[in-house]
């Protein structure tokens, strides 16, 4: 839990009471490789902080898995619209390796938001997340496949090191063969 508290303190310094509440309401969960964390069609009931591991977010399009992002240590994950609006998720989150999470249920999040310092953290995190998401979608759409790969290589090396090649290819919207050519041209 120390990793989670340390991360929160980078955005919002907490007092003892708030730290204790966070320790009370967040729950440690362990997932095996390929185990589903959030399922399509079900209401997402939690937001999770990745202590260690790798998590892939994807959806199915005519039976084909389309990878939208791959998350690693010290990142929060949830199906945003499903969690915040409590409606069925259109996406799937899957552990790509053994993954340890600290999860917070929707109900417990509502209780934690009663703590002013956690509420401030929550707002700062959401603002940061939405800002980065907006920037990312703008920039990423304009990049070529090779530029996308280079962006991942420099900004998110854990994705390149740990994710399956077919998932990286899907993430940058190319075939595995094209990804192989991109990787060969860089080396």
């Amino acid at each position: 839990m120390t990793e989670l508290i340390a991360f929160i303190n980078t955005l919002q310094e907490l007092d003892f009471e708030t730290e204790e509440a966070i320790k009370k309401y967040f729950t440690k969960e362990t997932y095996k490789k390929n185990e589903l964390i959030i399922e399509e069609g079900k209401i997402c009931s939690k937001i999770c902080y990745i202590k260690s591991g790798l998590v892939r977010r994807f959806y199915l399009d005519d039976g084909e898995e389309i990878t939208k992002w791959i998350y690693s240590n010290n990142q929060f994950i949830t199906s945003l619209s499903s969690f915040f609006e409590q409606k069925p998720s259109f996406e799937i989150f899957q552990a790509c390796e053994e993954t340890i999470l600290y999860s917070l249920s929707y109900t417990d999040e509502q209780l934690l938001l009663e703590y002013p310092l956690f509420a401030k953290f929550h707002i700062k995190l959401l603002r940061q997340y939405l800002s980065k998401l907006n920037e990312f979608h703008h920039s990423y759409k304009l990049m070529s496949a090779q530029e996308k790969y280079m962006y991942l290589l420099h900004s998110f090396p854990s994705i390149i090191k740990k994710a399956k090649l077919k998932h990286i290819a899907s993430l940058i919207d190319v075939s595995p063969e094209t990804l192989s050519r991109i990787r060969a041209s860089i080396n």
Side-chain angles (χ1 to χ4, degrees), residues 9 16 20 38 41 46 51 53 57 73 84 98 102 105 109 118 130-131 137 141 152 155 162 170 172 174:
N9 274 309
F16 178 77
E20 290 303 304
I38 298 168
K46 60 189 172 186
K51 177 184 185 229
R57 176 172 58 104
N73 300 1
F84 290 123
E98 183 169 308
Y102 294 121
S105 73
E109 182 206 35
F118 185 80
L130 291 171
S131 174
H137 280 296
K141 279 196 177 273
L152 294 174
S155 300
K162 297 166 81 176
S170 175
I172 64 173
V174 297

Side-chain angles (χ1 to χ4, degrees), residues 2 4-15 19 121:
T2 54
L4 173 61
I5 299 291
F7 177 82
I8 293 172
N9 274 309
T10 64
L11 288 178
Q12 175 61 54
E13 194 169 331
L14 301 173
D15 59 14
E19 281 190 21
F121 158 74

Side-chain angles (χ1 to χ4, degrees), residues 65-139:
E65 294 180 358
I66 308 297
T67 300
K68 296 304 291 175
W69 195 249
I70 300 168
Y71 303 86
S72 59
N73 300 1
N74 306 314
Q75 290 184 300
F76 278 92
I77 60 165
T78 193
S79 178
L80 289 173
S81 58
S82 179
F83 182 75
F84 290 123
E85 297 179 34
Q86 289 295 278
K87 64 183 187 182
S89 177
F90 57 84
E91 52 195 353
I92 303 161
F93 287 73
Q94 178 185 46
C96 297
E97 62 186 29
E98 183 169 308
T99 299
I100 300 171
L101 307 172
Y102 294 121
S103 73
L104 178 66
S105 73
Y106 181 82
T107 304
D108 288 343
E109 182 206 35
Q110 302 309 304
L111 295 172
L112 263 180
L113 287 171
E114 296 296 320
Y115 291 80
L117 295 177
F118 185 80
K120 281 184 177 182
F121 158 74
H122 196 268
I123 291 167
K124 287 177 181 179
L125 181 67
L126 285 174
R127 290 175 67 119
Q128 181 184 70
Y129 186 82
L130 291 171
S131 174
K132 287 185 184 285
L133 191 63
N134 188 44
E135 275 180 27
F136 171 77
H137 280 296
H138 173 72
S139 300

Side-chain angles (χ1 to χ4, degrees), residues 29-46:
E29 297 180 359
T30 302
Y31 289 86
K32 295 179 180 142
K33 183 178 181 176
N34 297 326
E35 196 172 350
L36 298 183
I37 299 165
I38 298 168
E39 297 181 51
E40 178 184 25
K42 294 186 178 178
I43 294 173
C44 177
S45 61
K46 60 189 172 186

